[in-house]
Every structure is written in structure tokens, then in C-alpha cells.
Amino acid sequence: MSSGDVWIIGTAMTRFGRFPDKDLLDLASEAALGALKDGGSAITDIGALALGNVYEANSHNGQRLQKQIGQTGVPVYNVVNACATGATAVRVALMSIASGESDTALAVGVEKMGKMGLLGGAAKNRDAKKQYQPKGRYGSVLKTEGVLGTGLMPGVFAQAGTEYALRHGVTATQFARVAQKNHAHSVLNPLAQYRKEFSLREILESEVIAYPNTLPMCCPTGDGAAAVVLVSDAKLKTLDPDVRRRAVKISASVLTSDPWSEAGQVQPDVNTLTRQAADAAYAKAGLGPDDLDLVELHDCFATAELIHYDNLRLCEPGGAGDFIDSGAPWREGKIPVNVSGGLLSKGHPIGATGIANLYEVTTHLRGEAGERQIEGAKVGLTHVIGLASACAVHILEARPAGVA
């Protein structure tokens, strides 16, 4: 087992969007080579590779990536874990270092989704004969979708937001303010899929996808990749002084799944596993919400971001509506949230998202975020959640100035 901290020394991401002329490996290679260059590393320095991807997960993409950027015989881990796939790949790379298997590891997240439409739905077989007989694991006669809860992502997060709203008096306008904020933030991000501001009225009057979420309150599908190079504390001490200066510490890396709950048998519980991940991460890092300078959280829908203010302890219990009204999560506010534009505007190529969040926070902690820079940022948190469910929380800290 190795001792000491694990550090990010290199990171990169592609622009998120739709790229019909690029395939999965084009995107993964761009991000991986960019992260290696950013960290002053070569593929021959890498002792383990973890690649996260969802929709082509049976294609041995880690090994295919090696054929593009260098085959060195190191262990390759192909990772899939819903929307937490990229963040889970980072944890695999981190654990390779913690175990002593490697002192330098590369994690890549990539997805090629295009305009695939609604996530969570299943294609209908129109030729199949309708037979009303018990079948499947639960002996169902009819589909339970929409009757006993929902497994479709818009419905899950709309329901979660509605339940919170009913308990704590949140309004549709407050949910819409989340989307207004994130679309405004994205204007400053050259890597975002969309860079367009919307007025509150435009958001509220748009097509309803799953109440209270209208179209601008829902993330788009798309293509993209992101990557990080991680090193052990001992390895960092041997590297170039400029690499050490720009290194960012992973102070906590936590992954949770659903604990059993009665309500969770019908409707996915996106709250409990997030609270547990956040609490464990704060404890591991020895930090709290008040120490955070920025947060990149999983805003697949506007309702998701608002309830996660509460789940991540960014506001008082039940106070997420007041939190968005106060302006605290805007880039000029107390705890800026999703200054990248978030999933709502930056985009959500599923396998890449978890690492893209780390890229964003790392860039700010280095002071390299350009127009969208959060001045003086020293501590940041990233959060992703994928239905089934998996939740990953990472806490990052800038390297103190003047430390050799």
C-alpha cells in the first residue's frame, strides 16, 4: 500500500457537442493526450489506465484507446456506472495508486451520444404480440412505468423536485432560476455545448418535459471526453517544479449506492446516497461546506440541482429555495455552483461528465479558468449521480503557494 495523498497533475476535456465526423476514440484520444501534455507526462509514465464509457461499454474501449495513444502493457480497466461512470474511473485510477500497483495513472471518460433523445426509455418492438400474462422478474402483466413510479430520468428528477417543493414550499420559478443561472454561466465557457442566456420568462414558458422542468431545464445529450492524470505523493516530489506548483490534491473520493428504503422500491431515491457521499467526503477531507469556493454538481435537470443544494449541505435543511433566491450559487455568490454552465448548458455526454467536473474545478484551483475564474479558489467539490444508483463526490484542494 502506498501512503500519502493522490494528486491531479494533468487534465483536459474536449468541447462538448455533437461531432458527426469524430468517433469515440477520436474524442478519447484528444482528451487523454491533452491531459498527458498538461501534466508534462508521456504514455510511458502511465502505470494504469481506467476508461469510463456507457453506451459502447462492451467494446474494450480502454484497449482500443491504447492502440491510438500507445500500448505499454499496463493494466486497463473498462468502467461503466451510469452517470457516475467517469468519476468511478477516476476512483479506479486512484485506488490503483493507493494499492501500490502504480504511481501514475490515467483516467478517461468518453461518450458518443449524438442526438439520441430521451434517456431511460426503451425501444418498442412494434411487431411483438401483446400478451397480458405474468412475465419478468416481478411477474408483471402491464408495464408499471407511470403507474408505480417512473424509471425515466425526466420523471424521476421531476418527482424528486416536486416532493421537495411540497415539503418546503419551493416554487416553479425557483426551479427555473437554476436554469437561468447555469445558462448564463455557460456564456463564459468556450467548451460548453450551448452558450446562450435565457430569461426567466423564456424558461417558464417553454415546453414542459416533466413538470416543473421545461426544455431549458433539462440537459442535452451529446458527445465529448475528459481525462485526468493522477500521481502519488511520492511521485509528485520527483516531478518538475512547475508540475508540482499546478498539482491539485484529491482530499476525498467517495462512492455510494442506494441504501434500502421502502420508498426506493417504487421511486429512485436520489437524495440519501448523495447525503451519505457528501458527509463521508467532508469527514475524509476534514472540511465542511463553508470551506468550499465552488461546486460542480449533477444538474441533469433544474430540479436536481436545487435538491442537491440541500443534499450537499450547501444550505440549511429545507432551505434550497431560499438559497437560489439569495444568489448564493451564482458565480459572484457565496458558493458558486456550476460556473461551467453545468449539465444543463455545458452538456452531458454521460461517461465524460464526472471527469469534466474535475477538470472544471481543477482549472479554477490553478487560477487558469479565464473569464469564468472564481478568484482565490482553493477548495472545490464535484458531485455526480447516476440512476440505479451510484453517487460520487470528490473534494479537491489547491497546492499551497510556496510549497516545494
Side-chain angles (χ1 to χ4, degrees):
M1 298 288 290
S2 69
S3 60
D5 300 312
V6 175
W7 300 80
I8 297 172
I9 62 165
T11 186
M13 67 174 279
T14 69
R15 187 172 68 82
F16 284 0
R18 296 187 178 118
F19 306 109
D21 296 330
K22 294 183 178 181
D23 65 15
L24 190 86
L25 294 181
D26 292 329
L27 295 166
S29 298
E30 180 181 341
L33 293 173
L36 289 169
K37 181 179 180 180
D38 182 61
S41 305
I43 191 62
T44 50
D45 298 319
I46 300 301
L49 167 64
L51 186 139
N53 173 259
V54 176
Y55 283 96
E56 297 179 49
N58 63 344
S59 300
H60 303 94
N61 290 313
Q63 288 85 349
R64 294 173 67 207
L65 175 62
Q66 280 188 309
K67 292 179 180 179
Q68 299 296 311
I69 66 174
Q71 294 173 271
T72 57
V74 300
V76 173
Y77 301 94
N78 289 292
V79 180
V80 58
N81 208 10
C83 295
T85 290
T88 305
V90 172
R91 279 185 50 78
V92 170
L94 183 149
M95 288 188 286
S96 172
I97 292 172
S99 71
E101 176 185 63
S102 63
D103 59 17
T104 307
L106 173 65
V108 183
V110 60
E111 208 70 65
K112 179 76 176 173
M113 299 172 72
K115 195 174 176 63
M116 67 188 308
L118 180 66
L119 301 182
K124 295 180 180 179
N125 183 352
R126 298 185 181 276
D127 296 328
K129 183 179 179 180
K130 292 182 179 179
Q131 295 183 351
Y132 297 98
Q133 297 177 359
K135 62 182 179 180
R137 177 179 293 275
Y138 303 107
S140 300
V141 175
L142 297 173
K143 291 181 179 180
T144 59
E145 174 64 38
V147 178
L148 296 176
T150 178
L152 298 178
M153 293 184 190
V156 168
F157 288 98
Q159 180 66 25
T162 299
E163 289 177 355
Y164 189 89
L166 292 173
R167 285 197 304 271
H168 302 297
V170 174
T171 67
T173 298
Q174 289 171 317
F175 285 124
R177 285 198 177 106
V178 171
Q180 181 187 26
K181 169 183 70 71
N182 291 354
H183 287 297
H185 285 172
S186 72
V187 172
L188 298 177
N189 186 359
L191 299 179
Q193 183 165 345
Y194 295 117
R195 302 177 67 188
K196 178 183 176 182
E197 290 193 62
F198 290 86
S199 70
L200 201 58
R201 180 175 179 177
E202 287 176 312
I203 293 168
L204 287 167
E205 293 182 355
S206 293
E207 177 188 359
V208 174
I209 303 301
Y211 185 84
N213 289 313
T214 64
L215 185 60
M217 299 164 71
C218 303
C219 68
T221 60
D223 312 329
V228 289
V229 177
L230 309 182
V231 298
S232 67
D233 197 57
K235 180 66 175 180
L236 182 67
K237 289 180 172 66
T238 71
L239 300 179
D240 182 90
D242 192 56
V243 173
R244 297 200 302 270
R245 177 186 62 80
R246 298 174 69 243
V248 169
K249 183 171 71 170
I250 301 179
S251 299
S253 175
V254 174
L255 183 68
T256 58
S257 61
D258 289 324
W260 190 91
S261 67
E262 185 173 357
Q265 308 312 298
V266 175
Q267 182 75 21
D269 174 8
V270 299
N271 299 308
T272 306
L273 78 165
T274 293
R275 294 191 194 110
Q276 292 183 347
D279 290 347
Y282 290 134
K284 184 173 178 60
L287 298 166
D290 289 342
D291 297 307
L292 301 176
D293 295 308
L294 75 160
V295 172
E296 287 287 311
L297 64 75
H298 198 79
D299 61 317
C300 47
F301 300 90
T303 49
E305 175 165 327
L306 190 133
I307 64 175
H308 288 318
Y309 295 155
D310 202 322
N311 293 330
L312 296 174
R313 320 299 190 185
L314 305 184
C315 63
E316 294 296 320
D322 291 338
F323 188 72
I324 186 65
D325 282 347
S326 74
W330 283 77
R331 64 182 307 274
E332 303 87 359
K334 179 184 176 183
I335 306 179
V337 177
N338 288 333
V339 295
S340 66
L343 281 60
L344 292 182
S345 209
K346 179 181 66 179
H348 185 27
I350 288 180
T353 290
I355 303 182
N357 288 354
L358 291 170
Y359 165 86
E360 182 69 21
V361 171
T362 296
T363 302
H364 285 271
L365 299 187
R366 290 170 162 180
E368 299 173 356
E371 286 186 275
R372 68 188 188 282
Q373 176 69 44
I374 301 301
E375 293 302 325
K378 300 299 181 187
V379 181
L381 179 146
T382 69
H383 157 262
V384 287
I385 183 170
L387 295 187
S389 295
C391 178
V393 171
H394 288 85
I395 294 178
L396 307 183
E397 290 187 74
R399 189 170 173 84
V403 175

